[in-house]
Amino acid sequence: MERKQAEYSNLDERYAIQGEKYQGQQYSHIYFTRLHHMRNLLHALVPSWKPHLPVTTVLGLEEGKDCMIVGTLYKHMKLKPSILDEYSKERSAIPLVKPHNFMHPDDHLILEDESGRVTLAGAIPPAAYVTGVVIALHGKETSAGNFLVEDILEAGIPPQITLPSINEDKYVVFVSGLSVGSEKFNPLQFQLLIDHITGHLGDENEQSIASNIVRVVVAGNSVHISPRFFNGQAVASKDQSRIAEPIKELDIMLTQLVASLPVDMMPGSNDPANFSLPQQPLHRCLFAGAATYNTFSSCSNPHQFELDSVRFIGTSGQNIDDLYKYSDAKDKLEFVERTLRWRHLAPTAPNSLAQFEELGVQHVEFLNKLRCLTMLYLSGVQVS
């Protein structure tokens, strides 16, 4: 039974870090560029939203006068972790923080642009927003100097690009959170998955379905290396082989997959890759067996590609995990939807999510703005 093929195009060039030098700007240019692009987009939406309202700056606000302002949100959070807390004499008085979320009833939002900043009140729930989101607000300045929000305009889900004509079924398999080497990893279950994908399991009908799988994407956190090896001390020679064991085991299993079909390998927060986004591809020398096949691709995180003109973009979940820490939603899927509505893959970067500060302006958009709606958008390593 012959496996179907799909024309593949890797679009990860924009995420490559190639010798960029730190220019001393820290993160200001990232927020400036983000505001510049998103403000132009929001201004274009105003005529169809509330054309009668004047658009002004924070400095141009007048008490009691209805207007619209566009700026970047900053969320003041009482429980947000700070390195200074380690040395605070009053840290014992700070309320205990849940390990997964830093929300507090006293949190409030501030909107800022190039001219200044203003505290927000009214119809804008702090729990639903995070630092770094660019929005337009309808309201008026109060006597207290705050901006009373009456309505909110977000960039919204971007326009859908034209769908190609597809006359047959083709599947892409997404796998994440394998954690090879951890206690929860079950080699038998993973082997059964490999046998199913490669067509070595099931009856003729199941093998026919497996033959429609044209690609496998491994979306982060593929290995688990014990934290005790990363305590700042030199690793003993007897432990060096133990560090490599999960990677070797993963390589053996990946080799079975790439012998049958193409595989994209994305790094995650627990994998041996750089910490800041965009994470660069895992070095091919880690996969001595799989890397010998031209069907193996080590990719960046985020990872963007096209299959038969269908565009995919995905992350290994750090952007959604960070939103979960600093905002509230009914489920993880709502966080994913918000990144689409805000047109930000990772709106909390670089405030609370690590990002390469030396990225030039030409690279800023990779993390901050979705130009057009990707046909398939994924986030790996998520627990429902």
Side-chain angles (χ1 to χ4, degrees):
M1 193 172 294
E2 186 175 352
R3 182 175 299 278
K4 290 182 179 178
Q5 304 295 318
E7 184 177 347
Y8 174 78
S9 177
N10 188 304
L11 305 176
D12 286 344
E13 310 86 33
R14 68 184 65 186
Y15 310 130
I17 308 296
Q18 298 177 345
E20 280 82 357
K21 300 297 183 181
Y22 175 61
Q23 302 296 327
Q25 295 176 304
Q26 292 189 345
Y27 303 109
S28 60
H29 67 299
I30 295 177
Y31 286 113
F32 175 81
T33 305
R34 182 185 304 186
L35 177 59
H36 172 72
H37 284 285
M38 295 302 295
R39 179 165 49 200
N40 290 341
L41 191 152
L42 288 165
H43 280 180
L45 298 175
V46 168
S48 58
W49 186 50
K50 295 188 177 182
H52 62 285
L53 288 175
V55 180
T56 186
T57 63
V58 170
L59 192 61
L61 290 174
E62 298 179 23
E63 183 180 337
K65 182 179 179 180
D66 268 2
C67 63
M68 186 182 304
I69 53 175
V70 179
T72 306
L73 288 177
Y74 172 77
K75 188 172 184 176
H76 179 81
M77 303 188 69
K78 187 174 183 179
L79 302 183
K80 181 182 176 183
S82 169
I83 189 63
L84 297 179
D85 292 341
E86 297 290 332
Y87 306 97
S88 173
K89 296 179 181 179
E90 300 176 358
R91 65 180 183 272
S92 60
I94 298 176
L96 294 176
V97 184
K98 295 180 181 179
H100 64 280
N101 190 277
F102 305 112
M103 298 288 295
H104 189 275
D106 292 341
D107 295 344
H108 62 271
L109 295 171
I110 297 170
L111 189 84
E112 57 182 27
D113 59 16
E114 297 95 330
S115 68
R117 49 171 28 197
V118 62
T119 301
L120 303 179
I124 180 167
Y129 290 91
V130 293
T131 296
V133 177
V134 179
I135 57 174
L137 300 175
H138 165 214
K140 52 190 166 187
E141 187 180 22
T142 66
S143 59
N146 299 331
F147 188 79
L148 184 64
V149 178
E150 297 181 14
D151 206 353
I152 304 169
L153 175 64
E154 298 173 345
I157 294 177
Q160 173 72 62
I161 56 180
T162 305
L163 288 167
S165 177
I166 302 174
N167 300 319
E168 57 181 343
D169 290 336
K170 293 182 181 180
Y171 305 129
V172 180
V173 173
F174 298 97
V175 183
S176 67
L178 294 173
S179 297
V180 177
S182 69
E183 294 181 356
K184 69 177 183 179
F185 175 67
N186 189 326
L188 177 59
Q189 290 180 347
F190 192 22
Q191 188 61 54
L192 286 172
L193 175 63
I194 292 173
D195 291 341
H196 173 68
I197 293 173
T198 56
H200 295 124
L201 196 67
D203 57 18
E204 185 175 345
N205 181 51
E206 289 185 351
Q207 291 176 356
S208 176
I209 294 174
S211 69
N212 294 333
I213 300 174
V214 296
R215 201 165 200 90
V216 174
V217 178
V218 184
N221 286 10
S222 301
V223 297
H224 175 83
I225 301 174
S226 176
R228 67 186 181 89
F229 295 125
F230 304 102
N231 56 8
Q233 304 296 323
V235 179
S237 56
K238 64 178 181 179
D239 291 331
Q240 291 180 2
S241 60
R242 295 180 184 176
I243 294 177
E245 282 175 5
I247 300 174
K248 290 181 179 178
E249 185 176 357
L250 176 64
D251 180 44
I252 292 171
M253 295 182 167
L254 287 177
T255 302
Q256 299 178 56
L257 280 174
V258 297
S260 178
L261 78 167
V263 175
D264 287 355
M265 186 74 186
M266 295 170 58
S269 58
N270 295 340
D271 294 324
N274 60 287
F275 177 73
S276 299
L277 293 179
Q279 288 185 295
Q280 299 304 283
L282 296 167
H283 202 287
R284 295 177 68 90
C285 71
L286 296 172
F287 308 100
T292 59
Y293 290 81
N294 61 9
T295 50
F296 175 78
S297 297
S298 186
C299 306
S300 65
N301 169 35
H303 176 37
Q304 186 171 343
F305 62 97
E306 284 188 359
L307 281 175
D308 285 347
S309 299
V310 178
R311 185 175 300 174
F312 296 73
I313 187 169
T315 71
S316 294
Q318 294 99 319
N319 57 333
I320 304 303
D321 290 338
D322 208 57
L323 286 175
Y324 182 59
K325 293 178 183 177
Y326 296 98
S327 60
D328 193 23
K330 61 183 179 182
D331 52 37
K332 291 288 188 76
L333 189 60
E334 186 174 346
F335 289 126
V336 177
E337 180 184 341
R338 286 177 186 173
T339 62
L340 284 175
R341 294 204 321 266
W342 297 335
R343 302 203 193 183
H344 291 242
L345 274 179
T348 56
N351 178 58
S352 56
L353 184 62
Q355 174 182 340
F356 276 103
E357 69 273 14
E358 62 267 24
L359 285 174
V361 171
Q362 67 272 25
H363 290 293
V364 171
E365 290 185 28
F366 91 91
L367 211 52
N368 299 326
K369 189 159 73 72
L370 293 171
R371 284 186 177 275
C372 56
L373 185 57
T374 303
M375 296 173 190
L376 194 147
Y377 172 41
L378 68 105
S379 179
V381 200
Q382 299 300 313
V383 179
S384 60

